[in-house]
């Protein structure tokens, strides 16, 4: 084996090792910041919508005129959901 053949073999081995080591770090496709921001915004919007629904139910329960039993049944039915 000549000097240059040995150099080429060493470089090839080093390149192979580097590729094998870095292969595990890049599993899957990375998301760009715009996709992350959009997903976060959508999650927040869903959460706000759910909170508004809950608030509407609580306002309806608090403002209704009626008996304590009806209020108790309403709260129990909401707990079961």
């Amino acid at each position: 084996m000549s000097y240059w053949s040995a150099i080429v073999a060493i470089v090839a081995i080093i390149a192979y090792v580097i590729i094998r080591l870095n292969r595990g770090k890049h599993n899957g496709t990375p998301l760009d910041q715009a996709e992350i921001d959009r997903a976060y915004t959508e999650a927040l919007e869903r959460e706000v919508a759910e909170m508004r629904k809950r608030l509407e139910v609580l306002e309806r329960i608090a403002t209704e005129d009626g008996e304590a039993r009806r209020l108790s049944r309403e709260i129990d039915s909401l707990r079961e959901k």
Side-chain angles (χ1 to χ4, degrees), residues 1 7 10 15 21 26-27 30-31 37 39 41 43 51 55 63 67 69 74:
M1 182 182 278
I7 296 290
I10 291 171
L21 290 175
H26 300 292
N27 289 340
L31 297 174
D37 290 343
T41 303
M51 296 298 262
L55 182 61
T63 58
E67 301 174 357
R69 277 189 252 157
E74 186 88 22

Side-chain angles (χ1 to χ4, degrees), residues 65-78:
D65 294 332
E67 301 174 357
R69 277 189 252 157
R70 191 174 78 199
L71 180 61
S72 177
R73 278 183 286 166
E74 186 88 22
I75 291 172
D76 289 338
S77 69
L78 290 173

Side-chain angles (χ1 to χ4, degrees), residues 1-13:
M1 182 182 278
S2 71
Y3 177 74
W4 294 108
S5 297
I7 296 290
V8 169
I10 291 171
V11 169
I13 291 170

Side-chain angles (χ1 to χ4, degrees), residues 33-66:
Q33 191 62 33
E35 290 180 25
I36 294 171
D37 290 343
R38 184 176 46 83
Y40 183 69
T41 303
E42 289 174 359
L44 288 177
E45 288 174 352
R46 281 192 303 270
E47 187 174 351
V48 167
E50 291 174 8
M51 296 298 262
R52 283 184 180 162
K53 288 178 185 176
R54 290 179 182 179
L55 182 61
E56 288 173 6
V57 170
L58 291 175
E59 286 175 344
R60 184 171 43 91
I61 291 172
T63 58
E64 280 183 352
D65 294 332

